[in-house]
Amino acid sequence: MAAENLGVTRPAVSQTIRRLEDRLGVALVQRTTRSVSLTEAGEQLYQRVAPAISEVGLALDATADRDSAPGGLLRLAVSSIAEPFISGPLLARFADTFPAVQVDVTVTDEEFDIVAEGYDAGVRLGEVIDQDMIAVPVSGDQRQGAFAAPSYIERFGKPEHPSELAAHRCIGWRPAPHSAPYRWEFGENGREFDVAVDPHITTNDMWLMIRTACAGGGITFGMEDTFKPYVASGRLVPLLQDYCPPFAGFFLYYPSRRNLAPKLRALIDHVKRWR
C-alpha cells in the first residue's frame, strides 16, 4: 500500500527502508513472508516524526490553497504622482472584489529594488522601470505641465516659453531631502529639453505644491491628471501647453510571470480589466 500511495515500486520502498536501517544501525521493520510490521524502534521513530510529517503536509496544503484563492498581504510601492492608481476607485473596487487580500501601499519616490525590499509589485512611470521587469499599463499616455493661480498671473504675468521660467517664482519638487530639485521637462519641435528652475519653495509633497500654487505662491509643475480638478474649478491655469508633449504613462510592474501568487495575479487581471 505504501508503494501505491507514493507511486513507486515495492522494491524501491524496501531498498529505501534498508538504507535508513543501515544508517541508523537498527531494524525498523519486522518482515515475514506474509506480513510487515514496525519493530519497537520503528514504532518509536514513527511516533516522533509523525507530528513533523503532519506539519509538512499542512504547509503543503496551505500553499496549494493559496494557489487556488487570492488572499494574504499584498505589498505595493507606488510613485506619489501615480494619480490614476492611488486616486481611490481602482483600489477600492479591487478590495471589494477580493476581501481576503490585504493591500499595503507605500507611496514613495525613492528608487530601490522592490524584490529586495519585500514588495510584490510597484507602480511607476514606464520610462523609469527596469527592463527586466514585467509591466502592465495602469494609465494611458500622460502629460506634465506648468500651472499657476490667476492671482499670480495678474501680479507677475505668465511665461510664453520655458526659458522665461527663470524670471518667475517657482514651486519645485524633490524626491528626498538631499536631492536636487526636479528639472522641469519640455519638448519643442520634436526635441526634448529640461529647465533647471531655481525654486523659491521646494518640497517632496505634491499637495503642498498644489495648495501653495492655488494661494498664488508661484508656478508649479507636475502631472496633468493631478492638476485637472484645480484647473476645472478655475483655481489654477495651465501654462506652456505647447511645450508639454505626451509620453508613456504609469505601469504596474513585477519581476516574473512564473508562479505568480494568486493575490498578485488577481491585481494584474483587475488592472487589465480596469484599463
Side-chain angles (χ1 to χ4, degrees), residues 9 32 41 71 73 84 165 225:
T9 64
T32 70
L73 181 64
L165 287 168
D225 279 353

Side-chain angles (χ1 to χ4, degrees), residues 139-159:
S139 73
D141 287 351
Q142 298 287 300
R143 290 181 70 195
Q144 293 196 100
F147 303 86
S151 60
Y152 175 87
I153 295 173
E154 289 176 6
R155 292 179 62 195
F156 301 103
K158 58 182 180 179

Side-chain angles (χ1 to χ4, degrees), residues 36 58 65 78 85 87 100 112 133 138 161 167 175 177 180 188-189 191 195-196 211 216 271 273:
V36 177
L58 291 173
D65 289 343
V78 181
F85 187 85
S87 60
F112 56 84
M133 291 287 174
V138 173
H161 189 275
E188 184 177 20
N189 299 323
R191 179 182 65 89
V195 176
R211 290 192 295 270
V271 166
R273 289 192 298 268

